[in-house]
C-alpha cells in the first residue's frame, strides 16, 4: 500500500524508485522496456501520465508487478474506504474454498432464485457499486458452491454457468480495488466454472478474461494468438446466426484491439476495432450477453480508449466527438469512457476538458473513479502541469485521496 509521499508522486515516483533499486539508468530501463528514453524521463518527472502499456512494459523490464508501480492497493484514507476494502478478506476465503463441499446444512435456493441473485450481482457490477457487490458476493458464491454439490446433469451445468458469472463479478471488484492477485485467481475460477458448465460461450468469456491477464502482464503477442484461437472455437456458433456468439466474437476482437494497441500496432488495433463494429451491427442495442455489454455504443467507447492506449489524444478526442453513452450503457462502462476521454484531452493539450471529463466520471461511477489508477495519474500530472493549481483540481484530488 502507498504512503502519503508515494501518493503525491504518482506512478513516476514508483518507477524511479524501482529503477534505482534495480541499479538501472533511465536509458537502460528504456532499452529493456522498449520505450523511448524521453518517455521514461517525462513519466519519472511527472510531466506526462504513465499509460497502462508503459506500466506493463516497465514492470516486466524491472521484474516487479505492475500494481507495485501503481501503488495498489491504495491505503484507505476514509471510513468509506475502509468499508469498501473490508470486503476483500471474505472474498479471499471463498475463492480459496471453491471446491469444498458446503459448510452449512441449509439447502440452497431454487435455481431460478439463484439466477436472479446472480443477475442482481451483475447489475451491481455494471453500476460499479463495489461495496454493496463485494458484501453480497461471498455468501452468493458459497450458496452456488452448495448448489453445485446438490444438483446433477443439466442443472449442475447451469449452476456452474452462474458461478462463472459470479466469479467474473468478483474479479471486477478485486481488480478495481487494486488486488491484482485476487483478480487473477478469479480468472482461474471463471475458467474452471465455465469449463464445468459445458457452455462454449461461457468458456469464450473465460478466454476474454484470460486475455486480459496476458495483456496486463505485457504478453501482447501471446494475447493476440490466444484471442484468435478463442474466436476460432466459436466459429460454428457464428454460422447459426446466434446473437450471443456474434457479440462474443465482437468483444474478443475488441480485446485483440487492446493487445495490439499496447503493442504499438495501430493498424492491427484499428482492424480489430472494425471487425467489432461490424459485429455490433448485428447485435441488439443494450445487449448484455455473458455480462460483457457489447453493442454499438460499447464499440464507440472502446474506440476512444484504444486511441488513448496508443497515446493518440487527438484521435481519441476526434472519436469521442458528438458522442455520449446511451441510457442502456452500464454506468461502469460510461464512467470508464469519461476516464479514458480525460486522458485523451490531457494528451491533446486540453487540460480544462480533461478535468471536466474526470468530473463526469465521478458523477457517473464514483467508486470506480476514486480507485482507478489512471484517474490518479491524470490528476497528478494535471497538477504538475499547472503552475497554479486550480481549486477544482485540488478539490477533486482531495475527494480521490490524492496528494498533489
Amino acid at each position: 500500500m502507498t504512503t502519503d509521499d508515494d501518493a503525491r508522486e504518482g506512478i513516476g515516483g514508483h518507477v524511479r524508485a524501482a529503477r534505482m533499486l534495480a541499479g538501472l539508468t533511465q536509458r537502460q530501463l528504456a532499452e529493456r522496456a522498449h520505450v523511448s528514453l524521453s518517455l521514461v524521463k517525462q513519466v519519472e518527472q511527472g510531466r506526462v501520465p504513465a499509460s497502462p502499456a508503459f506500466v506493463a512494459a516497465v514492470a516486466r523490464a524491472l521484474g516487479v508487478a505492475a500494481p507495485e508501480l501503481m501503488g495498489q492497493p491504495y491505503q484507505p484514507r476514509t471510513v468509506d474506504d475502509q468499508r469498501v476494502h473490508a470486503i476483500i478478506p471474505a472474498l479471499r476465503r471463498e475463492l480459496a474454498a471453491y471446491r469444498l463441499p458446503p459448510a452449512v446444512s441449509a439447502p440452497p435456493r431454487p435455481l431460478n432464485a439463484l439466477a436472479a441473485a446472480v443477475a442482481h450481482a451483475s447489475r451491481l457490477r455494471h453500476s460499479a457499486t463495489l461495496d454493496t457487490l463485494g458484501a453480497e458476493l461471498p455468501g452468493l458464491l458459497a450458496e452456488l458452491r452448495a448448489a453445485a454439490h446438490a444438483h446433477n446433469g443439466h442443472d449442475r451445468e447451469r449452476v456452474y454457468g452462474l458461478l462463472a458469472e459470479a466469479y467474473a463479478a468478483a474479479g471486477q471488484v478485486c481488480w478495481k480495488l487494486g488486488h491484482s492477485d485476487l483478480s487473477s485467481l478469479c480468472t482461474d475460477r471463471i475458467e474452471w466454472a465455465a469449463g464445468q458448465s459445458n457452455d462454449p460461450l461461457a468458456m469464450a468469456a473465460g478466454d476474454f478474461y484470460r486475455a486480459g491477464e496476458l495483456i496486463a502482464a505485457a504478453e501482447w503477442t501471446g494475447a493476440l494468438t490466444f484471442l484468435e484461437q478463442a474466436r476460432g472455437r466459436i466459429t460454428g456458433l457464428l454460422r447459426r446466426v446466434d446473437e450471443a456468439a456474434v457479440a462474443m466474437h465482437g468483444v474478443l476482437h475488441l480485446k485483440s484491439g487492446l493487445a495490439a494497441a499496447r503493442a504499438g500496432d495501430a493498424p492491427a488495433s484499428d482492424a480489430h476495432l472494425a471487425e467489432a463494429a461490424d459485429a455490433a451491427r448485428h447485435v441488439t442495442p443494450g445487449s448484455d450477453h455473458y455480462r460483457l455489454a457489447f453493442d454499438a455504443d460499447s464499440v464507440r467507447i472502446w474506440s476512444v480508449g484504444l486511441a488513448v492506449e496508443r497515446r493518440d489524444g487527438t484521435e481519441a478526442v476526434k472519436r469521442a466527438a458528438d458522442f455520449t453513452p446511451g441510457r442502456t450503457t452500464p454506468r461502469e462502462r460510461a464512467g470508464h469512457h469519461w476516464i479514458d476521454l480525460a486522458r485523451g484531452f490531457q494528451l491533446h493539450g486540453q487540460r480544462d476538458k480533461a478535468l471536466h471529463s474526470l468530473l463526469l466520471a465521478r458523477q457517473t461511477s464514483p467508486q470506480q473513479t476514486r480507485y482507478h489508477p489512471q484517474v490518479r495519474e491524470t490528476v497528478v500530472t494535471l497538477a504538475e502541469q499547472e503552475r497554479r493549481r486550480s481549486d477544482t483540481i485540488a478539490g477533486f484530488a482531495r475527494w480521490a485521496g490524492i496528494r498533489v
Side-chain angles (χ1 to χ4, degrees), residues 297-320:
D297 272 10
S298 176
V299 173
R300 189 78 181 268
I301 288 170
W302 274 75
S303 74
V304 175
L306 292 178
V308 172
E309 292 288 352
R310 289 151 33 187
R311 301 189 63 80
D312 190 343
T314 301
E315 180 64 19
V317 170
K318 177 182 175 182
R319 291 179 177 183

Side-chain angles (χ1 to χ4, degrees), residues 18-366:
R19 173 180 62 77
M20 294 178 69
L21 190 62
L24 298 178
T25 65
Q26 291 177 326
R27 183 178 299 279
Q28 288 171 326
L29 175 58
E31 290 173 352
R32 288 192 182 189
H34 304 290
V35 299
S36 71
L37 174 59
S38 64
L39 183 57
V40 171
K41 290 180 176 180
Q42 289 176 315
V43 169
E44 288 196 1
Q45 293 165 1
R47 291 191 286 119
V48 300
S51 68
F54 176 89
V55 172
V58 168
R60 182 170 179 172
L62 291 172
V64 301
E68 182 178 329
L69 297 181
M70 293 185 287
Q72 292 180 301
Y74 304 122
Q75 182 174 348
R77 299 181 182 279
T78 67
V79 172
D80 286 342
D81 287 345
Q82 185 62 47
R83 186 185 71 253
V84 172
H85 283 276
I87 66 183
I88 292 298
L91 270 177
R92 188 182 295 276
R93 286 193 297 272
E94 181 55 37
L95 289 170
Y98 75 112
R99 296 185 68 173
L100 295 180
V104 295
S105 57
R109 286 172 285 177
L111 287 186
N112 287 342
L114 286 175
V118 172
H120 175 67
S122 291
R123 287 192 293 273
L124 290 174
R125 167 192 169 183
H126 281 335
S127 68
T129 311
L130 304 179
D131 52 352
T132 305
L133 173 59
E136 289 188 9
L137 279 171
L140 178 57
L141 288 168
E143 190 174 9
L144 289 167
R145 180 158 51 94
H149 282 82
H151 292 283
N152 295 297
H154 176 72
D155 285 347
R156 189 168 185 263
E157 291 177 345
R158 185 183 177 195
V159 172
Y160 277 115
L162 294 174
L163 261 172
E165 182 178 334
Y167 281 133
Q172 288 297 297
V173 171
C174 296
W175 178 258
K176 285 178 167 53
L177 292 181
H179 295 270
S180 60
D181 62 328
L182 287 186
S183 175
S184 295
L185 190 58
C186 287
T187 299
D188 292 341
R189 301 294 180 261
I190 294 167
E191 290 178 318
W192 169 76
Q196 298 291 324
S197 76
N198 202 30
D199 179 349
L201 292 181
M203 289 183 268
D207 293 336
F208 175 87
Y209 295 112
R210 174 58 60 195
E213 296 285 338
L214 293 169
I215 292 169
E219 187 56 61
W220 300 312
T221 301
L224 286 165
T225 301
F226 180 80
L227 286 161
E228 183 177 1
Q229 293 170 346
R231 288 190 296 272
R233 286 191 285 271
I234 62 171
T235 299
L237 296 175
L238 291 175
R239 297 194 185 102
R240 303 176 194 172
V241 197
D242 182 329
E243 182 178 284
V246 173
M248 188 64 68
H249 179 78
V251 82
L252 290 172
H253 268 297
L254 288 178
K255 191 69 93 173
S256 289
L258 176 59
R262 292 200 181 176
D265 190 342
S269 181
D270 286 344
H272 286 294
L273 180 64
E275 291 283 354
D278 181 64
R281 286 194 282 271
H282 304 283
V283 173
T284 306
S287 74
D288 191 23
H289 299 291
Y290 293 86
R291 307 307 182 188
L292 292 174
F294 177 83
D295 64 3
D297 272 10
S298 176
V299 173
R300 189 78 181 268
I301 288 170
W302 274 75
S303 74
V304 175
L306 292 178
V308 172
E309 292 288 352
R310 289 151 33 187
R311 301 189 63 80
D312 190 343
T314 301
E315 180 64 19
V317 170
K318 177 182 175 182
R319 291 179 177 183
D322 302 320
F323 173 73
T324 300
R327 62 179 182 81
T328 61
T329 302
R331 280 195 289 145
E332 184 270 344
R333 185 67 53 81
H336 207 292
H337 170 68
W338 297 122
I339 291 169
D340 282 338
L341 187 54
R343 294 165 58 205
F345 277 128
Q346 184 182 28
L347 291 167
H348 190 55
Q350 293 180 296
R351 296 168 191 160
D352 56 337
K353 291 187 177 181
L355 181 57
H356 178 66
S357 290
L358 288 178
L359 293 172
L360 288 174
R362 173 183 173 177
Q363 178 183 339
T364 305
S365 55

